Each structure stands twice: as structure tokens, then as C-alpha cells.
């Protein structure tokens, strides 16, 4: 007997012999210990072969035979008849299969779809502790154990209608488009309650959000809720994972990787705030948890709900085309009014400081005197985005990236937000030795300092990546906010997402212009979503809310739609632009980033890249013409990426555009194959990129 074993490393599986005494124990989905290179490794059985040449398992395609010379483990006889010696599995670690069949299928799908490997997908899907050859320790979660009393709401007519559509269905995908405060979470909870014995996976975009959602779910499902996110220790992660695997819980809540929750029999997947970019992983395996969830729902044959107040342009388009069932909530619960949105023109307004207009400051003071809370957003952390010498104009750049360094006042360092390196600024200018150094621009630390000086009696907390690094720190901030120990919560986009603080009546954007004019086709969509989401945090309780957006570009068209909370209007405008430029949803994109060490090599390398691409596209073009089929494929570039250098690598990119995802991926694979032997370049593929910077 032979078995195909997948390891959590960036390759496909390897074939091993199964010793006779282990034959009965080896099952698809079980962990085994096997010799690997000079040591041993724990892997998962993904295919079993009794006596034929084909390895078949879990409905998987025959395992790919890896003839890569670097692989030190010998592989099965190949089709051309070469005999190779196989190594043997050493032991089987599980009595029963550990990884459910459908999850294995999903892992393989992810590896293929994202033009990566099943091994890397496995690494992302299963906590690393599972692959350690030892008993896992018990992890304890230190969250507050008090479960809040059950709060049963009466559903609105719209909620009832949406819920009954969902409950009627056995499978299928729904887009739940509900304005902020319309009670989407209550629908999620009831849809899960209606599942009977089956389980549910709930994805949220941000670790900071799990706190409130977990509380809400625990008040209804008590101990039957597991959650995981990047803040868990390895032990906690394994213990949560095992609870899910053993069906000890009914609901698994988490960020991105929760899409791989190892339920054997899930009945429903929920993606809250489906439009959020944080569902996309930017490093390593570049998957979108939303799209993987849609694939999983198909593989499992179950239902999936995409929820949002500001659906992604793609999802709304698919709903219009009938690919998603459209469910709408147009009213806030208890007929609470939508917040009023005001755009503050900073070119005209009286300013109290560089960051605050008199108007906004007065609003904040008044809100404080009335005992309500406020949210203030600036989507840029640090103190100031750059230091500049007033004599010669010198600014500090990251030595490794083409990015100006952000000054952080708490650490007195200049930080690179791309590669995380930092340096200490000198007292004088490194270029001209001048001493007139100025802080240019705003970051969250600076607007915090400003506000502390302007309204000293205010209890102010900052929430951004710098203040939430420590475990559970986000949780404490949210709790303090709920208990009204904080008057104003100030932070990056983290504060705009999904929180439900009933006493927040004012939400403000200090400097909206940070979000505008990024050279990317999704930037206006992001802006609209971010500001509408922030607006949605205001006035969720008994007092109605107001939103203030300070900007130096008040004419920017997106503000009109934000002011009127006009999603449909925004969508109409955006979808026409996308159509004109044939961007998604009218096409599929694959981005290939080519990076190299020496700037001087760039021109030579790109010449060779262009020549090779021309060769195969010309070839395909002529082939297509003879087949008389429609040409639906386009390559843009190679051209320099907007961010020219990251971590000492110079970056160029190719954008591949096509109508059909599968054939686009095939073509991308061909192109990558022809580029593979070019010296000194790194090739990085991003299927369905969400930005092209
Ligand atoms: Zn200078
Ligand atoms: Zn850097």
C-alpha cells in the first residue's frame, strides 16, 4: 500500500510506502509521522493507493507526482515507468481521521485556485501545533467569563422576511444588504438557531470586532462558541481547534483563517462586513477568506450569508445578476433615524489647531457635556507621516523601501510601515546639517496629543495597531468604551468597523484626504465604504447621531453619496467606470509581481520578460484566430509598481486581465513558466488582487 502525504510546507504531497502493520490504521485525513530529508515530519494522509497506479482519496484528483530534484523523499513510479525507492511511514498518530474530507478538498482547491500549493494551503488552514509530534497542551482563554443576559428582540418585518428566506433554503448564497444598525447580527443568530444539529462558521474582518460579537453570541449559545484569531497563544489555538473538530461547539467565530474551521458537518457560513479588505491575506498565500468561504459552501453543499451595509461592488453586481440571493434591510431597528452627515471644508473653516476645526471641536465639547461618547478617525498611525528639513527639504526614506518613514513620538523613532524597520532621527539634518526639522502631516498620535491639549478634561483613548499589539488590549479598550470610561475613542479604520456602542452620538474624520486619490481602481469604493461604516457607528442608541468629515477636497464626488447614505447611487456610478475600463466584476485579474535586487538590472530583465511574453501571446493570438474564437485576454505591463521598492527588492508588475477565471489562470501559469529561468527575479502571483500598488 502507498499513501500520499501532505506536509504544511510549500509543495504538493509526497508518496510513501505503508508498512503492512499500519495498513489498517492509515486513513485519509489522519496524521502520520514520516521520514523527511534527514529528520521526521508530521503530515496528513490525502490519498491512499491499494494496488493501482492512481492515488485516489477524498474525492481528490490523483496526487501530483513530484519529480522535483530538490525533493529528497523519493516518489512513486512515474508514468514513464521509472522505478524509485519509496520511504515508509513510521507511525499513524490518530485513531480516527483528524481533518474532515471536505476540508481537505477545500485545502486542495485553495492551493490550485490561488496558483500556490496544497501544502501552503494546509499550513494556513491548520494550526502549526497540530503538526508537532507531541501531545498538545491545554490552552485557557482568559476572556471575561460573565455571560450577559439573553436579550430577545422582536424582529422587524424586513428582518422576518430575510430570515425566512434563509431558513427555507438548504443551500445557496445570500447577500444580506442592511443599513448600519438594521439588525444583521440578530438574523445571523436566528439562522444559526434554526440549523438544528449542524454548526456554523462566522467570519468577522477584524480581531477588535470579535469582542462584541463573541459576547453577543455567547449570550445566546453560552459555552457553545469557539473563537480564534491572531491574538491566541499556540496552546489556546489548538484547544479551540479541537473543540470545533470534536463538535463540542455550535459556532466558530474568527477572522480570516476561521474559514478553515474543522467542523465535520457545518450547515451555514456567515461573512460579516463582506466588503472588508482584511479578508484578503497579503503575505504568503494570497487568499480571500470571503471567496474561500463561497467555495467551501459549494463543496459542503450548504448556505452562506454575505452581510454588509456597503456591499463590495462585485457582490452587489452578482446579486443583481442573480448569482447571490438579494435580501435587503432598509430600516434601522426601532425606527432609529440614520445619522446626519456633514462635510467640513477645511480650506474655509476656522481652525483651532492644525487637526481640528472650531466647528468639530465645539461639537465634541457639547457632546461631552451631554455625557455622550464620540469616535474620531484618522486612517494613519504614528505621529507624523514625515520629518522634513526646512533648509534643504530632506525627508527620511526607508533604506529598504521607496516609502517615507513615519515619525512615532512614543518611541521617538522613524518607522517603515511596510518592512517594520526603524531608525532614530538625528538632531540635525543628515544632508545639510541644518537644525530646522519640521513634523509634516498628521498621524493618530498627533491628533491625540492635539485633542488632549485642546480639551484636557476629556478621557481619550487611542486605538490603532500600535496600541493593540499586546494580547487582549483591543478587548480592554472595547470594554472601557462599553463601560463609558472613555469619552472619545480615536483611531485608525479599526474603530469604524462594526462596533456597537449605544452612547456614541458623534463620529468624525479628522483628515479625509488620507483616503482619497490612491492610484488604485478600488480607492473610491474603499473611501465610500469606510466613511459610511464610520457614520454607521453613530446614533445606534436612543439619541440620534451626527457625522463630521473634515477635508481639503470637499468637492470630491464620493462625499455626495456618503452624505446622502446613497449606496445605490454610488454603485451605479462605480459600476459604469468598471465597465468602461473592464475591471472586476467585468473581468478577472491576476497580478504577477516581478522583483529583483539591483535597480540597474531592471531594464535588461524587463526586456527579456517582454520578449518572452510576446512570444507566447503572439502564439496564442494566432492559435485563437485560427480557432476563430473571441480574444478575451489582455496583459498590461511589465511596468514599475506604484511602490517601486519594498524590503530591498525593486518591483515591476504584470496585470493579466481576462473574462474567464480558469483560462486566465492557465495563461498566467504559462507566462510564469516561461519567466522561471530568468536570472535573479522573484515571481509573486496574486489571484484576484485587491490593490495594484
Ligand atoms: Zn537639510
Ligand atoms: Zn521599509
Amino acid at each position: 500500500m502507498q499513501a500520499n502525504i501532505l506536509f504544511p510546507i510549500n509543495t504538493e504531497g509526497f508518496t510513501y510506502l505503508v508498512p503492512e502493520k499500519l495498513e489498517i490504521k492509515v486513513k485519509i485525513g489522519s496524521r502520520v509521522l514520516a521520514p523527511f530529508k534527514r529528520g521526521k515530519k508530521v503530515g496528513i494522509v490525502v490519498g491512499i493507493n491499494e494496488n493501482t497506479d492512481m492515488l485516489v482519496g477524498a474525492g481528490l484528483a490523483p496526487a501530483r507526482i513530484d519529480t522535483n530534484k530538490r525533493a529528497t523523499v523519493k516518489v512513486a513510479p512515474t508514468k514513464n515507468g521509472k522505478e524509485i525507492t519509496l520511504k515508509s511511514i513510521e507511525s499513524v498518530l490518530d485513531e480516527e481521521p483528524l481533518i474532515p474530507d471536505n476540508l481537505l478538498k477545500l485545502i486542495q482547491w485553495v492551493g490550485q485556485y490561488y496558483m500556490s500549493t496544497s501544502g501552503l494551503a494546509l499550513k494556513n488552514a491548520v494550526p502549526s501545533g497540530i503538526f508537532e509530534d507531541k501531545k498538545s497542551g491545554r490552552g485557557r482563554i482568559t476572556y471575561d467569563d460573565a455571560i450577559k443576559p439573553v436579550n430577545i428582540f422582536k424582529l422587524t418585518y424586513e428582518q422576518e422576511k430575510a430570515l425566512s428566506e434563509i431558513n427555507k433554503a438548504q443551500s445557496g448564497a445570500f447577500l444580506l444588504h442592511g443599513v448600519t444598525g438594521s439588525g444583521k447580527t440578530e438574523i445571523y443568530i436566528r439562522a444559526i438557531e434554526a440549523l438544528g444539529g449542524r454548526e456554523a462558521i462566522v467570519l468577522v474582518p477584524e480581531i477588535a470586532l470579535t469582542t462584541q460579537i463573541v459576547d453577543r453570541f455567547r449570550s445566546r449559545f453560552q459555552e457553545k462558541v469557539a473563537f480564534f484569531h491572531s491574538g491566541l497563544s499556540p496552546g489556546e489555538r489548538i484547544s479551540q481547534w479541537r473543540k470545533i473538530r470534536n463538535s463540542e461547539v455550535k459556532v466558530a467565530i474568527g477572522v480570516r483563517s476561521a474559514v478553515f474551521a474543522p467542523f465535520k458537518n457545518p450547515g451555514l457560513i456567515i461573512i460579516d462586513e463582506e466588503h472588508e479588505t482584511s479578508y484578503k491575506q497579503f503575505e504568503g498565500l494570497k487568499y480571500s477568506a470571503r471567496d474561500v468561504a463561497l467555495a467551501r459552501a459549494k463543496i459542503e453543499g450548504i448556505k452562506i450569508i454575505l452581510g454588509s451595509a456597503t456591499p463590495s461592488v462585485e457582490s452587489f453586481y452578482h446579486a443583481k445578476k442573480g448569482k447571490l440571493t438579494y435580501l435587503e434591510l432598509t430600516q434601522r431597528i426601532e425606527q432609529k433615524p440614520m445619522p446626519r452627515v456633514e462635510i467640513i471644508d477645511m480650506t474655509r473653516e476656522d481652525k483651532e489647531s492644525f487637526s481640528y476645526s472650531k466647528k468639530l471641536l465645539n461639537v465634541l465639547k457639547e457632546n461631552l457635556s451631554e455625557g455622550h461618547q464620540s469616535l474620531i478617525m484618522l486612517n494613519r498611525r504614528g505621529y507624523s507621516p514625515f520629518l522634513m528639513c526646512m533648509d534643504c527639504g530632506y525627508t527620511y526614506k526607508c533604506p529598504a523601501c521607496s516609502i517615507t518613514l513615519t515619525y512615532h513620538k512614543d518611541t521617538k523613532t522613524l518607522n517603515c510601515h511596510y518592512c517594520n524597520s526603524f531608525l532614530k532621527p538625528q538632531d540635525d539634518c543628515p544632508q545639510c546639517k541644518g537644525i530646522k526639522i519640521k513634523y509634516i502631516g498628521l498621524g493618530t498620535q498627533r491628533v491625540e496629543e492635539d485633542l488632549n491639549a485642546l480639551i484636557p478634561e476629556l478621557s481619550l483613548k487611542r486605538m490603532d495597531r500600535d496600541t493593540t499589539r499586546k494580547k487582549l488590549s483591543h478587548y480592554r479598550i472595547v470594554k472601557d468604551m462599553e463601560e463609558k470610561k472613555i469619552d472619545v475613542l480615536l483611531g485608525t479604520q479599526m474603530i469604524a468597523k462594526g462596533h456597537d456602542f449605544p452612547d456614541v452620538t458623534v463620529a468624525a474624520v479628522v483628515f479625509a484626504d488620507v483616503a482619497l486619490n490612491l492610484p488604485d481602481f478600488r480607492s473610491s469604493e474603499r473611501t465610500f465604504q469606510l466613511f459610511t461604516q464610520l457614520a454607521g457607528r453613530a446614533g445606534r442608541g436612543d439619541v440620534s447621531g451626527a457625522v463630521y468629515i473634515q477635508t481639503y477636497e470637499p468637492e470630491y464626488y464620493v462625499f455626495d453619496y456618503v452624505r446622502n447614505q446613497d449606496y445605490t447611487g454610488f454603485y451605479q456610478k462605480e459600476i459604469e467606470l468598471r465597465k468602461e475600463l473592464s475591471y472586476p466584476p467585468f473581468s478577472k485579474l491576476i497580478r504577477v509581481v516581478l522583483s529583483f535586487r539591483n535597480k540597474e538590472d531592471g531594464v535588461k530583465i524587463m526586456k527579456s520578460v517582454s520578449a518572452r511574453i510576446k512570444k507566447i501571446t503572439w502564439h496564442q493570438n494566432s492559435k485563437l484566430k485560427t480557432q476563430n474564437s473571441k480574444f478575451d485576454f489582455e496583459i498590461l505591463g511589465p511596468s514599475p509598481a506604484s511602490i517601486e521598492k519594498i524590503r530591498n527588492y525593486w518591483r515591476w508588475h504584470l496585470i493579466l486581465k481576462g473574462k474567464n477565471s480558469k483560462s486566465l489562470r492557465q495563461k498566467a501559469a504559462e507566462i510564469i513558466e516561461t519567466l522561471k529561468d530568468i536570472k535573479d527575479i522573484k515571481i509573486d502571483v496574486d489571484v484576484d488582487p485587491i490593490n495594484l500598488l
Side-chain angles (χ1 to χ4, degrees), residues 183-202:
K184 291 186 285 292
T185 310
E186 189 59 30
I187 293 181
Y188 303 154
I189 290 173
R190 302 223 185 169
I192 295 169
E193 284 171 340
L195 288 175
R198 304 183 83 178
E199 298 113 352
I201 298 168
V202 180

Side-chain angles (χ1 to χ4, degrees), residues 389 392 429 432:
C389 167
C392 73
C429 166
C432 74

Side-chain angles (χ1 to χ4, degrees), residues 139 161 188 195 288 313 417 419 425 479 509 579 618 634 650:
K161 214 174 121 203
Y188 303 154
L195 288 175
S288 150
V313 166
H417 289 175
C419 71
K479 283 288 161 207
V509 182
K579 192 170 189 177
W618 176 83
E634 194 182 349
W650 293 89

